[in-house]
């Protein structure tokens, strides 16, 4: 046997085709409706308005895919509570900043790898007929 034949017979260390891959887990919350005090105009911040949030984030490792234990996954109610805290603890002029603050909280609290946050104003205070306006922010853990 020459050296070339030995190389063909040895399994490649990087060639792990039979091993199952680690599943990617994405947590999504859609349509979280909260009364908030955000906006450019002082009246928006004073009176307040309803915003609807959609949050999606990818977690690195989620043991629940193997263990099926509640404590090994993300608590969806806690996610909603954290979004509510971020959206209601202070007032922002722009939805962009609000979405960014929520994304930061998801990264910090849940060790999320990527996060998408969409905030929608169902009744935007603009003088033209518009059903809603939305801002979406995407962030990656860095």
């Amino acid at each position: 046997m020459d050296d070339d034949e030995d190389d063909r017979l040895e399994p490649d260390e990087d060639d792990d085709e039979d091993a199952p891959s680690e599943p990617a887990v994405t947590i999504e919350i859609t349509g979280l409706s909260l009364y908030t005090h955000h906006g450019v105009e002082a009246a928006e911040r004073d009176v307040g308005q309803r915003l609807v949030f959609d949050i999606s984030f990818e977690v690195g490792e989620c043991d629940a895919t193997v263990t099926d234990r509640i404590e090994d996954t993300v608590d969806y109610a806690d996610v909603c509570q954290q979004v509510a805290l971020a959206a209601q603890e202070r007032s922002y002029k722009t939805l962009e900043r609000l979405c960014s603050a929520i994304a930061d909280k998801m990264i910090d609290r849940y060790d999320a790898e990527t996060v998408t946050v969409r905030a929608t104003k169902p009744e935007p205070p603009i003088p033209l007929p518009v059903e809603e306006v939305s801002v979406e922010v995407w962030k990656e853990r860095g």
Side-chain angles (χ1 to χ4, degrees):
M1 234 194 240
D2 64 15
D3 286 338
D4 289 336
E5 287 181 59
D6 286 341
D7 289 341
R8 282 181 288 173
L9 297 176
E10 292 297 317
D12 198 9
E13 289 180 22
D14 295 332
D15 193 18
D16 231 355
E17 290 178 21
D18 293 335
S21 65
E22 184 72 26
V25 175
T26 301
I27 307 296
E28 291 187 23
I29 308 287
T30 304
L32 176 59
S33 181
L34 299 170
Y35 197 80
T36 66
H37 294 272
H38 305 284
V40 174
E41 301 299 323
E44 281 185 284
R45 293 189 305 275
D46 291 341
V47 174
Q49 64 197 298
R50 184 172 66 94
L51 293 180
V52 179
F53 295 91
D54 300 324
I55 300 94
S56 174
F57 59 94
E58 186 175 315
V59 292
E61 293 182 21
C62 183
D63 291 340
T65 61
V66 175
T67 67
D68 196 31
R69 293 172 11 151
I70 299 292
E71 53 274 6
D72 289 339
T73 190
V74 173
D75 180 345
Y76 313 133
D78 187 60
V79 173
C80 293
Q81 187 62 40
Q82 294 306 312
V83 172
L85 286 172
Q88 295 171 334
E89 67 187 354
R90 65 169 291 190
S91 180
Y92 296 102
K93 291 181 181 172
T94 66
L95 292 180
E96 290 83 349
R97 181 64 193 110
L98 171 60
C99 288
S100 183
I102 292 170
D104 289 342
K105 188 172 278 262
M106 298 299 105
I107 290 169
D108 291 344
R109 185 163 181 99
Y110 305 108
D111 203 24
E113 294 183 7
T114 61
V115 180
T116 302
V117 178
R118 174 186 291 263
T120 300
K121 282 188 182 185
E123 298 98 23
I126 56 178
L128 294 169
V130 175
E131 283 184 30
E132 62 187 27
V133 297
S134 296
V135 168
E136 184 174 285
V137 169
W138 179 87
K139 279 193 170 188
E140 186 172 30
R141 182 176 54 195

